[in-house]
Amino acid sequence: MSANMVAVLYLISALMFIFALRGLSHPESSRLGNIFGIVGMIIAIITTLMFKSVLSYVEIGAAIIIGGAIGTFIALRIEMTALPQLVAAFHSLVGIAAVFVAAAAFYDPESFGIGKIGLIGTSSLIEMSIGTFIGAITFSGSVLAFGKLQGTVSGKPIVFKFQHTINALILVLIIALIIIFVINQSPSIFWTIVIVSILLGFLVVIPIGGADMPVVVSMLNSYSGWAACGIGFTLSNNLLIITGALVGASGAILSYIMSKGMNRSIISVVLGGFGGEQALSAAGDNSDKIVKQGNAEDAAYIMKNADSVIIVPGYGMAVAQAQHALREMGDILKKEGINVRYAIHPVAGRMPGHMNVLLAEANVPYEEVLELDEINHDFPMTEVSFVIGANDVTNPAAKTDETSPIFGMPILDVEKSQTVLFVKRSMATGYSGVDNELFYRDNTTMLFGDAKKMCEDIVKSLA
Amino acid sequence: MEAHSSEVFVIGLTVFFLACIIGYYVVWSVTPALHSPLMGVTNAISSVIIVGAILAAGPFGHDTSKIFGIIGVVLASINIFGGFIVTYRMLSMFKKKPKKDKKD
């Protein structure tokens, strides 16, 4: 195949990837988008297999079959509530794959047309080491994020002295190593860069708490794209550069949306430690206030007699796997002629769009699921807000209390509805460690218990 | 094939910035409800890095590089299949409001 033919096929593949993302602008077109993505990938792989230098079809075929079988198995088995950790795990694979490709290019530059061993061009070496560096950070950062999301590692932010100084020093060390690597092209320096970058990846994610995970997962998404870009520059491959840039931009935008949803700068999330000491001072002064408690029958009665109900789900719903029971409850209310809708805060859950997927899994039609700015002005006209597993995203302190760590965060104005039903396991605070004054309001009824059990009990009472 | 002149780098840089701009506009048009599938699909397509892994695994001989390449192919394949399938699963759940209330 001629070089021009290869370039054209790679271009088609890149266009397919753009269409794949474009398709996600609407649920109707999204499935077609995914098919575009698959077609683009098939074109890219077949085109590469046609290269004259590519001869080991048996080994490559076996590798694709093994990897494909593992990927298929995992993707079919995974529970939708475990999506965030799955995505984190996948990011780590992109990262480590980038490291392996960079290593392969370093050990056999001739196959990639970038020079001979020990005589690789300077720009190739720089691109290679940047790709390696980002890939290695993506790998270890994602592994740790996976551990935190899965619960194998504590989700609490781990903060220690001189954390940022140490990270900065390591970064300087990596830059120094890259310079040495470019000069002497030594394999041991290459692997030192890999190891030190892996260490940095761990240190970057360690101070970040569980609820900041949407930002971290998006950021790692972005990194995995930039890693692919770095490799694309190394190999002078436009397809890799384009795709890497698309993914990198996507992750960066998601990180921006997520941190805006918390009214925090990306930098403050990255620096981490949220929900640590400052939280203690904010909580604890509400112990004498009275909380109105209710049970499933009360909730059923209140909702049955309402005209409109807005359901506000949060991470607690995912943990309790309550989405199916919740949808059942919503269906019964709809049959009674009640207007039931769902309000999703941008940072609800552990990854962008997490709640939307869980509600979709429970067969909630997507027209009933609305974003914060689509539904927030409807709360004053709503009789019942049903908050399930969410907390901080409804806390009015974000609007009124300047001393609160969550001040300025956009919230769902559930307090403006006539009645607020709050499903919660206990009076514990949300991830920010801030007490929610909503619990003590006259129009709030607390429903203590497991979210799933509570929904099932309400369904029984409604029947 | 001495492909790595500064000219090639500048072409790469041009492509890079244009792709970033396309990515910026395309991603902002993604509906927030589909942000999870967006991560799934970007995950899958970022594994286009498999192209580099195949090139490394391709030739006969060249032992170290070839092993790295094959490992890369396995890892990227996990991601490609896993990413597209999990995205497909997510997307197939997003349904319209049924005309009639169907029971399940």
Side-chain angles (χ1 to χ4, degrees):
Chain A
M1 214 185 303
S2 75
N4 279 337
M5 192 63 195
V6 169
V8 169
L9 287 171
Y10 277 166
L11 176 65
I12 294 172
S13 167
L15 290 175
M16 289 289 169
F17 291 154
I18 295 171
F19 293 144
L21 299 189
R22 180 66 197 150
L24 291 170
S25 59
H26 195 275
E28 286 306 292
S29 57
S30 61
R31 279 169 279 254
L32 184 62
N34 201 34
I35 291 169
F36 276 132
I38 295 170
V39 172
M41 189 59 78
I42 292 172
I43 294 174
I45 291 174
I46 291 180
T47 306
T48 314
L49 288 174
M50 305 293 273
F51 273 54
K52 251 188 260 140
S53 65
V54 177
L55 301 163
S56 320
Y57 287 116
V58 178
E59 290 96 324
I60 294 171
I64 293 179
I65 289 169
I66 292 169
I70 298 172
T72 308
F73 179 77
I74 296 170
L76 290 177
R77 287 283 303 269
I78 196 84
E79 292 274 347
M80 280 298 144
T81 38
L83 265 184
Q85 45 272 49
L86 177 74
V87 168
F90 280 164
H91 287 158
S92 74
L93 296 182
V94 181
I96 196 73
V99 173
F100 277 115
V101 174
F106 175 58
Y107 278 90
D108 180 20
E110 278 166 88
S111 289
F112 296 91
I114 55 171
K116 290 189 167 64
I117 297 171
L119 295 167
I120 303 171
T122 307
S123 64
S124 296
L125 287 168
I126 296 172
E127 292 154 1
M128 191 186 288
S129 35
I130 291 175
T132 307
F133 161 64
I134 304 174
I137 285 194
T138 312
F139 167 67
S140 54
S142 302
V143 166
L144 187 56
F146 169 82
K148 286 192 173 205
L149 289 163
Q150 180 79 13
T152 40
V153 182
S154 160
K156 286 199 184 117
I158 295 165
V159 201
F160 51 87
K161 260 191 178 172
F162 305 121
Q163 200 156 20
H164 306 316
T165 324
I166 291 171
N167 290 353
L169 286 176
I170 292 177
L171 191 62
V172 173
L173 174 66
I174 290 171
I175 293 169
L177 284 169
I178 290 177
I179 294 169
I180 299 170
F181 174 66
V182 169
I183 295 166
N184 73 2
Q185 309 198 11
S186 139
S188 58
I189 300 289
F190 177 86
W191 294 110
T192 314
I193 295 175
V194 173
I195 290 163
V196 177
S197 305
I198 285 177
L199 177 69
L200 185 61
F202 280 126
L203 290 173
V204 164
V205 177
I206 257 188
I208 304 178
D212 280 342
M213 279 302 155
V215 186
V216 176
V217 173
S218 319
M219 243 168 45
L220 293 166
N221 185 229
S222 185
Y223 289 174
S224 68
W226 304 132
C229 250
I231 301 301
F233 275 106
T234 316
L235 311 184
S236 302
N237 184 318
N238 284 344
L239 174 61
L240 289 191
I241 296 176
I242 295 173
T243 314
L246 291 176
V247 176
S250 164
I253 290 173
L254 289 178
S255 320
Y256 170 77
I257 296 174
M258 291 303 113
S259 48
K260 209 170 138 243
M262 295 191 284
N263 189 41
R264 301 178 57 210
S265 68
I266 293 181
I267 293 168
S268 82
V269 174
V270 173
L271 294 181
F274 195 54
E277 322 87 74
Q278 91 264 40
L280 290 171
S281 58
D285 53 346
N286 276 314
S287 47
D288 52 335
K289 289 195 197 159
I290 298 159
V291 170
K292 195 162 68 182
Q293 266 196 57
N295 56 28
E297 286 102 77
D298 303 332
Y301 179 79
I302 293 169
M303 287 195 280
K304 220 177 191 170
N305 290 297
D307 287 331
S308 51
V309 174
I310 295 179
I311 297 169
V312 179
Y315 183 57
M317 180 193 80
V319 174
Q321 301 260 27
Q323 65 271 30
H324 298 280
L326 182 68
R327 194 260 311 159
E328 220 177 303
M329 184 190 93
D331 280 355
I332 296 175
L333 293 173
K334 275 196 287 183
K335 278 206 194 97
E336 302 268 333
I338 300 160
N339 180 15
V340 179
R341 289 176 299 169
Y342 297 79
I344 310 289
H345 192 278
V347 295
R350 287 291 187 263
M351 72 184 280
H354 193 189
M355 291 297 121
N356 302 77
V357 169
L358 293 182
L359 291 176
E361 186 200 8
N363 280 322
V364 174
Y366 59 80
E367 292 103 324
E368 290 172 13
V369 183
L370 300 166
E371 302 301 317
L372 180 124
D373 44 354
E374 292 172 323
I375 201 167
N376 225 5
H377 49 268
D378 287 358
F379 279 106
M381 287 92 81
T382 300
E383 278 173 64
V384 180
S385 294
F386 186 81
V387 184
I388 175 162
N391 184 359
D392 292 321
V393 297
T394 64
N395 193 340
K399 286 186 289 192
T400 53
D401 180 6
E402 280 185 48
T403 61
S404 172
I406 60 168
F407 181 72
M409 173 169 130
I411 63 156
L412 289 159
D413 297 328
V414 293
E415 86 274 10
K416 290 185 181 156
S417 56
Q418 282 174 31
T419 309
V420 182
L421 297 172
F422 224 110
V423 182
K424 230 177 159 307
R425 259 177 309 187
S426 69
M427 283 300 285
T429 55
Y431 75 86
S432 66
V434 187
D435 201 13
N436 194 339
E437 57 172 283
L438 208 55
F439 301 162
Y440 312 102
R441 296 225 173 154
D442 291 338
N443 62 343
T444 304
T445 302
M446 301 300 294
L447 305 166
F448 289 116
D450 175 72
K452 186 178 177 188
K453 180 93 185 5
M454 184 57 72
C455 289
E456 286 166 354
D457 289 349
I458 294 173
V459 167
K460 271 182 218 149
S461 306
L462 283 169
Chain B
M1 191 171 71
E2 180 45 63
H4 224 282
S5 60
S6 62
E7 203 178 314
V8 173
F9 176 74
V10 172
I11 293 171
L13 211 58
T14 313
V15 170
F16 172 74
F17 281 112
L18 292 178
C20 282
I21 290 167
I22 293 173
Y24 179 85
Y25 285 103
V26 172
V27 172
W28 273 115
S29 77
V30 172
T31 174
L34 295 179
H35 277 163
S36 288
L38 172 67
M39 300 201 94
V41 104
T42 49
N43 208 313
I45 66 172
S46 62
S47 302
V48 73
I49 209 162
I50 195 171
V51 164
I54 291 176
L55 289 179
F60 293 131
H62 299 296
D63 284 330
T64 327
S65 159
K66 188 170 181 153
I67 291 166
F68 289 148
I70 287 173
I71 296 172
V73 173
V74 173
L75 296 172
S77 302
I78 296 178
N79 240 318
I80 292 170
F81 282 76
F84 281 126
I85 291 172
V86 88
T87 310
Y88 170 81
R89 274 186 65 195
M90 282 191 255
L91 292 176
S92 58
M93 296 186 307
F94 281 86
K95 289 191 192 97
K96 266 192 144 140
K97 209 181 272 188
K99 289 274 152 44
K100 275 183 278 175
D101 242 331
K102 70 161 195 238
K103 282 175 185 168
D104 46 18

